Every structure is written in structure tokens, then in C-alpha cells.
Amino acid sequence: MATEASTSAAAGAVGGSWVEGMSADNIKGLVLALSSSFFIGSSFIVKKKGLKKAGASGVRAGVGGYSYLFEPLWWAGMITMIVGEVANFAAYAFAPAILVTPLGALSIIISAVLADIMLKEKLHIFGILGCVLCVVGSTTIVLHAPQEREIESVAEVWDLATEPAFLFYAAIVLAATFVLIFRFIPQYGQTHIMVYIGVCSLVGSLSVMSVKALGIALKLTFSGMNQLIYPQTWMFTIVVVACILTQMNYLNKALDTFNTAVVSPIYYTMFTSLTILASVIMFKDWDRQNPTQIVTEMCGFVTILSGTFLLHKTKDMVDGLLPTLPIRIPKHDEDGYAAEGIPLRSAAEGLPLRSPRAAE
């Protein structure tokens, strides 16, 4: 009896330690991030069914038609996607970017599973393995993510953003972005995939930091501490708009020029890596963790990357055969639809806050 009691007590302590180890804000951010992935992932399946239904009675979107705008099912998918983006935006207000951003990969699992069930697009055995890797990696990050920093005003976020370390990072990002836009894109934009993706990823890391700052300002405002009176709130808003417009522009160029199955995993890797780096510099996430936690988080991130690449690499495999996948995309396939891959996060039809999404 004594042994059973001690065993139960130990189990309770282990089970309770996980709950106690996560703050209330982290739990809220986690729930919002997971719900965002669910809504975003399912929205593409709903929109694709709407596109097919609209294409059966009108001009398909793949050949320039807009009959899908009159299809309620497509709009249901768009509304679902918007709900997911709002949840994603809110998640950054409650949890560190190192927790929220990598969870964007879970939307690919939702898309892959629902496509298998609803669209009869069969998932290869290696695709299932990729899903498992994404889940394992995400779980690892969730269990070892740092606590959200206690912030009481948007001015405090501004102080963090204007510290020398982050200003140096921002200056490097802006300098690299301008060099890519004005020096490399005119010459190599149509032939080197890393040029467009580099711009999107660099600017994306700044957009997430600004989105988080704006989310914190709105959270504090709704709790009774009005942050809209501070000019810093509006400065962050301007940065958010400028960064997102830049991301959308160059991500669309990348998706229009190169195959989505190649763009998505590369962009996810660069975008998430730079976002984590920016968050570590600005919000000092790793200052509140020991080396073991940091290494474990990185292992979880690498596991997610492995699952993401595996899913994209095997998404077209049938009976163990992998068709040749060109980096440059054909504009449309034989059915009139643009070549598509299972999405990770936003492109033209949403806020590109986490990972790329091909426009349906």
C-alpha cells in the first residue's frame, strides 16, 4: 500500500509539474496556436472543394476564372482561414514566438489528413511518418518552451525593441533585404529560389516581433490599460503593415515562379529559424532557460523540419514511386488548376505570420 501510495504521489507530481510549468498565458497561447492550425489547415480543404464545385459550372480559377467568388463553400473556407489567422495573431500576445511559430507546421498535418479523407488524395506511408515527426517535434517544444515575459505596457516592448542587440539585428535584416531587392532580385529572382524566400523570411522575422508587440498592446487595452494612447503602438502597427505587404509581394513572386512543394518547406525553415532568433534577441527567451531546455527545443524544431520536408517530398508519391519534381512550376496542370502543394501558412490570402501558404 505504501509503495502504491508513493507511486501515485510521484505520478501526480510528474503530471502536475507539466501544468505548473506552463503559465496561464502560455496555455492560452498554445490553445490559440493549435486552434489556428486546425482552422488554417481545414480552410484549404473547404476552399478546394468550393473551387472544384465552382469549376464544374463555370470557368476554373486555374485558367483565370472567378466563378468561385459566387460559391458559398469557397467563402466558408475563406472565413475559416480568417478565423485561424485571428487566432494566430492572438497567440503571439500570450505566448513566446519560440512556442507559437513552430506550431504552424501542424496545419500541414490537418490539410494532409483531411485531404486524404475528404478529397481522396491518399497520404503515402512516408507522409504519415512526416505527420508523426511534426507531432513529436511540436510536443517537445511545447513541453520545454520558455514562460512568457511579464510585460505591463507597450512602452516596455518598445524599450526591448530599441536595445542595441535588437537594433543591430534589425539593421542587418534591413540591409540584407535591400541588397536582395535591389541587387540580386533583378538578376537572380527568376532562377534562384533563395532570393525571394530570403526577403520573405528576413522581413517576416520583424513582422512577427511587431505583431507580438501589437498583440500585447491590444491585450493590455482590453484588460483595462489603454495602450492606444501611446505612439509606440501605432509605430508597431505601421511596421506590421509594411512588413506584411512586403512578405505577401515577394512570397507571391516565389510561388508564381517556383514549385510550391519546394517553396513551402524552405520558407518554413528560414522563416521559423529567423523568427526564433529575433525573439531570442528581443524578448530574451533563452535567458529564462537552462542549456538542456534550449537544446531540447532545438531538437524538437529539427524534428518538425524533418517531418515537414518528408511530407512535401512524398506528397505526390504513389505506390512507392516519386515523380520528378521541377523547381520551376508549370503555370497550370492538365486539369486547369495551378500546381499546388499542401500549405503551411499564409501567402496572398492571409497574413503571412508563420509559414507560407499557396493561394488556392
Side-chain angles (χ1 to χ4, degrees):
M1 293 294 292
T3 304
E4 292 179 1
S6 61
T7 302
S8 299
V14 172
S17 64
W18 179 80
V19 177
E20 293 172 2
M22 291 191 72
S23 66
D25 278 351
N26 267 30
I27 294 174
K28 292 176 184 177
L30 172 62
V31 172
L32 287 167
L34 292 176
S35 61
S36 172
S37 292
F38 174 79
F39 283 118
I40 294 296
S42 59
S43 72
F44 280 89
I45 305 303
V46 177
K47 286 200 299 178
K48 188 163 185 176
K49 288 183 72 70
L51 286 170
K52 288 186 174 181
K53 187 176 179 181
S57 58
V59 181
R60 292 177 172 177
V63 292
Y66 295 96
S67 58
Y68 61 88
L69 294 176
F70 302 97
E71 175 54 51
L73 194 59
W74 185 85
W75 282 107
M78 276 296 297
I79 293 172
T80 304
M81 186 195 71
I82 292 172
V83 171
E85 291 292 0
V86 172
N88 178 46
F89 179 91
Y92 282 107
F94 292 98
I98 197 172
L99 169 62
V100 177
T101 307
L103 293 181
L106 295 181
S107 63
I108 192 176
I109 299 178
I110 303 298
S111 294
V113 172
L114 291 181
D116 183 271
I117 296 172
M118 300 177 64
L119 300 177
K120 308 304 179 184
E121 297 177 358
K122 294 303 178 182
L123 190 60
H124 192 270
I125 184 64
F126 289 132
I128 296 175
L129 177 59
C131 291
V132 172
L133 288 174
C134 287
V135 171
V136 171
S138 299
T139 303
T140 302
I141 289 178
V142 168
L143 292 177
H144 297 85
Q147 299 298 329
E148 174 69 340
R149 187 188 186 98
E150 292 293 334
I151 294 177
E152 298 180 355
S153 73
V154 70
E156 186 177 343
V157 184
W158 183 262
D159 290 339
L160 293 172
T162 53
E163 287 188 356
F166 188 75
L167 287 178
F168 180 69
Y169 172 80
I172 292 177
V173 167
L174 291 176
T177 299
F178 282 119
V179 169
L180 287 173
I181 291 176
F182 295 107
R183 175 68 176 86
F184 289 97
I185 284 181
Q187 294 185 24
Y188 305 108
Q190 297 297 310
T191 56
H192 291 70
I193 191 172
M194 297 301 294
V195 178
Y196 286 139
I197 293 180
V199 173
C200 296
S201 302
L202 288 166
V203 175
S205 67
L206 297 182
S207 74
V208 170
M209 297 303 100
S210 301
V211 162
K212 184 171 179 63
L214 185 57
I216 291 172
L218 293 176
K219 181 182 71 172
L220 293 172
T221 298
F222 292 144
S223 66
M225 296 180 286
N226 186 10
Q227 303 295 304
L228 302 180
I229 61 175
Y230 295 104
Q232 292 94 329
T233 301
W234 301 106
M235 288 295 295
F236 281 125
T237 303
I238 293 172
V239 174
V240 167
V241 173
C243 288
I244 288 176
L245 289 176
T246 303
Q247 274 183 276
M248 289 172 61
N249 179 39
Y250 288 100
L251 183 55
N252 285 334
K253 290 177 183 294
L255 292 170
D256 185 58
T257 307
F258 303 99
N259 194 295
T260 305
V262 178
V263 172
S264 293
I266 296 176
Y267 180 36
Y268 175 79
T269 302
M270 291 187 62
F271 172 80
T272 307
S273 300
L274 289 171
T275 297
I276 290 175
L277 176 61
S279 182
V280 167
I281 295 173
M282 179 171 171
F283 291 97
K284 301 176 177 60
D285 293 330
W286 285 349
D287 288 359
R288 305 183 294 280
Q289 293 190 290
N290 59 49
T292 301
Q293 291 174 310
I294 295 173
V295 171
T296 305
E297 287 171 5
M298 291 298 95
C299 289
F301 179 48
V302 172
T303 304
I304 294 176
L305 294 182
S306 302
T308 301
F309 273 92
L310 190 58
L311 268 169
H312 278 278
K313 190 67 176 177
T314 62
K315 74 181 185 66
D316 293 322
M317 287 182 69
V318 179
D319 296 328
L321 297 178
L322 180 61
T324 302
L325 181 64
I327 294 179
R328 292 291 298 273
I329 73 168
K331 296 302 180 183
H332 304 287
D333 62 20
E334 64 274 10
D335 293 325
Y337 286 106
E340 292 293 344
I342 297 175
L344 289 179
R345 259 311 174 236
S346 302
E349 297 176 341
L351 302 180
L353 301 182
R354 291 206 284 191
S355 308
R357 172 187 303 125
E360 290 284 4

